[in-house]
């Protein structure tokens, strides 16, 4: 029996990968591979509207419910000082999320290989279970980092600017700022084949031996934490200038300013992204600079959309229910709805996206898979 061959897809945002058995776990529609620029723009707008109006609210519903449930479930001893209790709560969430994600990242290839020999229904369930566990660990990890940064670093403007600019600089210099972009400007459709795709920084595979574990450790302790640092610092900075929103408090104020700025920025990001692809080449310096600026705009828009939706849900999502019931229903509604839509991998989508691996900044392909998507699976290079 031949050894498993691991391959790399040079134009895919998440690689390397290895071929595994086909499955029916795929997007609901597929268009012809050749699309005019105008047709592609129309489908892109349709995908963005779907993501903004349906997918993003469901993802935020899940995160809000899970975030607050963790605060209720992880309760340090009452004998501790209140400040120490909050710090202990953050540490527990951080450690639990980090350990689970390291385990999942390290075993992902082997889980995919195990499932590849099973039926389609087992592959679908296994992929769903992996995504759901990864998402839960992701919320726990983010909540832990968020709490610890707020307690240990503080929310003074100079500190927030230092954290934001420093973290952004590291991500940009390492060509991974697109990792900052989240739903609705980045959507990941559930697909069993992604179980064989590396989403870590150095793209190591089991063929790399212990370097895979080193890659996983670096990805989780450095890159993913920098992503949280950026989101936390920008969110906290906007609390100084926009309507205040604390993820741990249910304020009665809706951040209409964030909703307006976020959705306007999302639309602008899409059109600028399409314009750059049409007018420049990937190798041009101007194109790279413009692409980075669009990436930063998409990141800014993503944070504001989340702030606005979070505040909107605090006010209008089952307001008469007890808080614990509200959070639990939000968690279940978000998970079940995204499962039906085949979008559970969007909940905790923390794959490291390298700039040189994809032309698109705004990656929303739900109702169609265009020419670019097909090309990513036609050119494989053996490692």
């Amino acid at each position: 029996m031949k050894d498993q061959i691991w391959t790399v897809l040079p134009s895919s945002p998440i690689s390397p990968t290895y071929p595994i058995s086909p499955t029916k776990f795929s997007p609901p529609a597929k268009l012809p591979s050749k699309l005019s620029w105008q047709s592609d723009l129309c489908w892109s707008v349709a995908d963005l509207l779907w993501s903004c109006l349906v997918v993003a609210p469901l993802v935020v519903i899940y995160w809000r419910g899970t975030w607050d449930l963790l605060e209720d479930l992880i309760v340090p001893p009452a004998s501790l000082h209140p400040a120490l209790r909050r710090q202990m709560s953050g540490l527990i969430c951080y450690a639990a999320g980090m350990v689970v994600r390291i385990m999942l990242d390290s075993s992902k290839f082997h889980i995919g290989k195990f499932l590849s020999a099973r039926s389609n229904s087992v592959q679908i369930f296994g992929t769903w279970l992996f995504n759901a566990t990864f998402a839960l660990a992701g919320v726990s990890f983010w909540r832990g980092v968020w709490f610890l940064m707020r307690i240990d670093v503080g929310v003074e403007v100079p500190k927030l600017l230092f954290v934001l600019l420093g973290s952004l600089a590291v991500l940009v210099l390492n060509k991974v700022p697109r990792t900052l972009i989240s739903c609705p400007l980045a959507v990941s459709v559930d697909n069993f084949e992604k179980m064989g795709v590396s989403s870590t920084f150095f793209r190591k595979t089991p063929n790399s031996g212990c370097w895979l574990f080193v890659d996983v450790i670096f990805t989780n302790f450095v890159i993913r934490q920098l992503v949280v640092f950026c989101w936390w610092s920008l969110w906290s900075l906007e609390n100084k200038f926009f309507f205040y929103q604390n993820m741990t408090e249910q304020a009665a104020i809706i951040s209409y300013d964030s909703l307006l700025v976020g959705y306007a920025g999302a639309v602008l990001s899409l059109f600028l992204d399409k314009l750059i692809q049409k007018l420049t080449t990937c190798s041009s310096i101007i194109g790279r600079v413009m692409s980075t600026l669009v990436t930063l705009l998409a990141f800014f828009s993503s944070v504001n959309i989340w702030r606005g939706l979070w505040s909107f849900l605090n006010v209008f999502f089952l307001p008469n229910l007890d808080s614990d019931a509200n959070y639990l229903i939000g968690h279940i509604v978000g998970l079940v709805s995204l499962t039906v839509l085949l979008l559970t991998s969007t909940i905790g989508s923390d794959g490291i996206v390298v700039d040189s691996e994809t032309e698109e900044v705004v990656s929303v392909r739900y109702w169609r898979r265009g020419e670019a998507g097909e090309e990513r699976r036609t050119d494989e290079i053996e490692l």
Side-chain angles (χ1 to χ4, degrees):
M1 183 175 181
K2 295 182 178 180
D3 294 335
Q4 179 68 57
I5 296 178
W6 306 87
T7 58
V8 57
L9 308 183
S11 58
S12 172
I14 42 177
S15 58
T17 181
Y18 68 97
I20 52 182
S21 62
T23 178
K24 297 179 181 179
F25 207 41
S26 57
K30 179 179 177 181
L31 296 181
S33 58
K34 296 293 183 179
L35 289 176
S36 66
W37 185 82
Q38 294 84 355
S39 297
D40 180 67
L41 178 61
C42 291
W43 279 105
S44 297
V45 171
D47 275 334
L48 181 63
L49 289 175
W50 167 260
S51 183
C52 286
L53 300 178
V54 178
V55 181
L58 290 173
V59 173
V60 177
I61 284 176
Y62 173 90
W63 270 74
R64 173 182 172 272
T66 309
W67 188 285
D68 291 314
L69 278 176
L70 288 172
E71 185 167 5
D72 293 337
L73 294 174
I74 301 177
V75 182
S79 59
L80 297 176
H81 187 275
L84 186 57
R85 292 183 67 197
R86 290 181 62 83
Q87 189 168 40
M88 184 65 67
S89 175
L91 280 171
I92 293 173
C93 282
Y94 171 77
M98 176 70 76
V99 169
V100 173
R101 282 204 156 184
I102 288 175
M103 292 174 60
L104 292 176
D105 282 333
S106 301
S107 59
K108 178 181 179 180
F109 295 100
H110 304 288
I111 294 173
K113 188 175 181 180
F114 171 80
L115 292 175
S116 65
R118 303 303 186 269
S119 64
N120 279 353
S121 59
V122 174
Q123 291 177 6
I124 292 173
F125 176 75
T127 304
W128 175 87
L129 184 61
F130 182 93
N131 290 336
T133 307
F134 196 83
L136 180 59
V139 177
S140 179
F141 171 77
W142 274 65
R143 181 181 179 273
V145 177
W146 206 280
F147 268 50
L148 295 176
M149 291 295 289
R150 182 177 179 83
I151 294 172
D152 297 333
V153 176
V155 292
E156 293 80 7
V157 172
K159 293 180 180 179
L160 294 174
L161 285 173
F162 178 80
V163 172
L164 177 61
L165 296 178
S167 301
L168 281 175
V170 174
L171 294 175
V172 170
L173 291 175
N174 284 280
K175 300 182 179 180
V176 290
R178 296 185 189 184
T179 308
L180 293 165
I181 303 173
S182 182
C183 184
L185 294 174
V187 170
S188 176
V189 179
D190 296 341
N191 191 330
F192 168 63
E193 292 183 359
K194 292 179 181 178
M195 293 296 294
V197 174
S198 174
S199 57
T200 49
F201 181 76
F202 293 109
R203 301 298 193 256
K204 298 300 181 181
T205 69
N207 286 343
S208 304
C210 64
W211 289 110
L212 171 61
F213 184 72
V214 174
D215 185 15
V216 169
I217 293 296
F218 180 82
T219 298
N220 284 280
F221 275 95
V222 179
I223 302 300
R224 284 177 177 157
Q225 287 198 157
L226 288 173
V227 172
V228 186
F229 290 172
C230 288
W231 272 69
W232 169 78
S233 55
L234 179 57
W235 188 301
S236 300
L237 273 173
E238 293 191 359
N239 282 339
K240 307 290 185 180
F241 308 103
F242 290 4
F243 286 124
Y244 182 85
Q245 290 298 330
N246 189 343
M247 297 178 77
T248 61
E249 300 175 2
Q250 283 201 12
I253 300 176
I254 300 176
S255 294
Y256 289 111
D257 45 5
S258 282
L259 282 173
L260 179 62
V261 170
Y263 279 118
V267 174
L268 182 61
S269 296
L270 174 65
F271 281 96
L272 289 177
D273 188 27
K274 294 298 179 182
L275 183 63
I276 291 172
Q277 293 179 48
K278 183 175 177 62
L279 299 180
T280 63
T281 61
C282 293
S283 59
S284 68
I285 297 178
I286 296 178
R288 289 182 180 274
V289 171
M290 293 178 65
S291 179
T292 300
L293 293 177
V294 173
T295 299
L296 296 178
L297 174 62
F299 158 59
F300 175 77
S301 303
S302 298
V303 174
N304 277 279
I305 289 173
W306 276 62
R307 287 185 84 252
L309 289 175
W310 201 291
S311 67
F312 185 87
L313 293 170
N314 281 341
V315 176
F316 290 110
F317 183 73
L318 304 176
N320 297 325
L321 272 184
D322 174 73
S323 59
D324 290 341
N326 185 297
Y327 303 148
L328 181 60
I329 292 175
H331 171 88
I332 295 174
V333 167
L335 182 60
V336 171
S337 300
L338 293 167
T339 298
V340 173
L341 296 175
L342 303 180
L343 289 172
T344 56
S345 57
T346 300
I347 300 174
S349 181
D350 274 355
I352 310 303
V353 183
V354 181
D355 290 352
S356 60
E357 295 181 1
T358 175
E359 297 180 2
E360 290 184 332
V361 173
V362 179
S363 178
V364 183
R365 290 179 174 270
Y366 183 79
W367 294 110
R368 94 283 189 237
R369 285 184 295 170
E371 182 178 357
E374 293 300 310
E375 288 174 354
R376 291 185 184 125
R377 296 197 177 276
T378 58
D379 187 11
E380 297 185 352
I381 301 175
E382 183 177 341
L383 291 177

